[in-house]
Amino acid sequence: NAGVTQTPKFQVLKTGQSMTLQCAQDMNHNSMYWYRQDPGMGLRLIYYSASEGTTDKGEVPNGYNVSRLNKREFSLRLESAAPSQTSVYFCASPKRGGGSEAFFGQGTRLTVV
Amino acid sequence: DQQVKQNSPSLSVQEGRISILNCDYTNSMFDYFLWYKKYPAEGPTFLISISSIKDKNEDGRFTVFLNKSAKHLSLHIVPSQPGDSAVYFCAASENTDKLIFGTGTRLQVFP
């Protein structure tokens, strides 16, 4: 039982390049989130998906797109990476609704040069 | 606009003593609060939670207190252990799947 799996773990991009961060959960949860963690800023919500087929913007959605491919997978895409998107990205999936306990992946450390 | 705030970026406590981590929030509609612990190079892990209908929840060495009138919650760790050294995040939700996190407090427990 892997929980939440993110790939890749590390990535370096040049400004303007695109990439997709992958996330999969094997817990049969409905909801999935993407957060970014920056020094002094904590964890900020980028996008979330309350159920398969739905996605909504979080606190910092600009520059990102998401796809809820199926119940298991929720991907985050950077169409044209910028240095301001250098961050650690976490995918998470809550146990149930109502902002309950969420399980996190190990993170993707992204550097945009 | 930061809805969940942790005003102390760091805290240093001696092993065996009490650690008190604080969190303030501005949204009175929040009805569920959680604490997460994060080690370097790992994802956050759930520690303890509390519903707004309670003012205290205890789990072993960890106790969370909620003061709704002050919009304040705190996490008490007694006794503190070196393995507790980590970054602690508080989070809140208003009965949706949107967990809003604070900025984190780095706890260091020294011998």
Side-chain angles (χ1 to χ4, degrees):
Chain A
N1 187 349
V4 179
T5 304
Q6 286 182 239
T7 54
K9 286 189 170 50
F10 302 94
Q11 184 71 50
V12 178
L13 288 179
K14 292 183 179 178
T15 298
Q17 285 186 318
S18 62
M19 80 161 292
T20 299
L21 282 66
Q22 306 286 354
C23 176
Q25 54 96 2
D26 60 5
M27 297 171 288
N28 202 35
H29 293 167
N30 287 321
S31 302
M32 297 182 76
Y33 304 142
W34 276 105
Y35 287 91
R36 59 177 289 174
Q37 184 192 6
D38 302 291
M41 303 295 289
L43 288 157
R44 292 183 293 169
L45 182 63
I46 305 171
Y47 269 93
Y48 68 106
S49 171
S51 62
E52 184 179 352
T54 67
T55 60
D56 284 288
K57 294 178 181 179
E59 303 166 89
V60 288
N62 291 346
Y64 304 96
N65 286 303
V66 289
S67 295
R68 184 72 184 269
L69 304 169
N70 47 55
K71 194 171 186 179
R72 289 188 66 249
E73 298 171 292
F74 188 39
S75 62
L76 179 71
R77 183 160 178 84
L78 288 72
E79 290 291 351
S80 178
S84 61
Q85 293 178 305
T86 293
S87 187
V88 182
Y89 292 84
F90 289 100
C91 177
S93 181
K95 205 171 183 178
R96 57 186 181 277
S100 61
E101 170 190 350
F103 297 86
F104 281 79
Q106 289 205 314
T108 296
R109 184 173 293 275
L110 175 67
T111 303
V112 183
V113 298
Chain B
D1 182 27
Q2 195 80 24
Q3 296 186 69
V4 179
K5 302 176 186 178
Q6 294 176 256
N7 292 319
S8 298
S10 63
L11 176 67
S12 189
V13 171
Q14 190 172 29
E15 182 178 4
R17 306 292 291 264
I18 184 171
S19 295
I20 301 176
L21 295 93
N22 294 304
C23 180
D24 297 295
Y25 60 95
T26 57
N27 186 347
S28 58
M29 298 301 291
F30 285 146
D31 57 6
Y32 200 70
F33 305 88
L34 308 91
W35 284 94
Y36 282 79
K37 178 178 178 178
K38 185 184 179 303
Y39 292 118
E42 294 184 9
T45 55
F46 170 75
L47 192 56
I48 192 169
S49 63
I50 187 167
S51 163
S52 61
I53 63 173
K54 294 185 175 181
D55 54 18
K56 177 182 174 181
N57 188 27
E58 205 169 343
D59 183 1
R61 296 187 297 114
F62 303 92
T63 303
V64 56
F65 295 91
L66 176 63
N67 182 335
K68 288 186 290 294
S69 60
K71 295 193 181 68
H72 177 83
L73 66 154
S74 60
L75 175 69
H76 293 209
I77 306 173
V78 182
S80 301
Q81 299 174 354
D84 296 329
S85 297
V87 177
Y88 289 79
F89 291 99
C90 67
S93 170
E94 59 173 292
N95 201 32
T96 69
D97 278 341
K98 287 172 62 177
L99 278 176
I100 304 298
F101 283 81
T103 52
T105 296
R106 182 177 302 278
L107 172 66
Q108 184 179 8
V109 180
F110 60 92

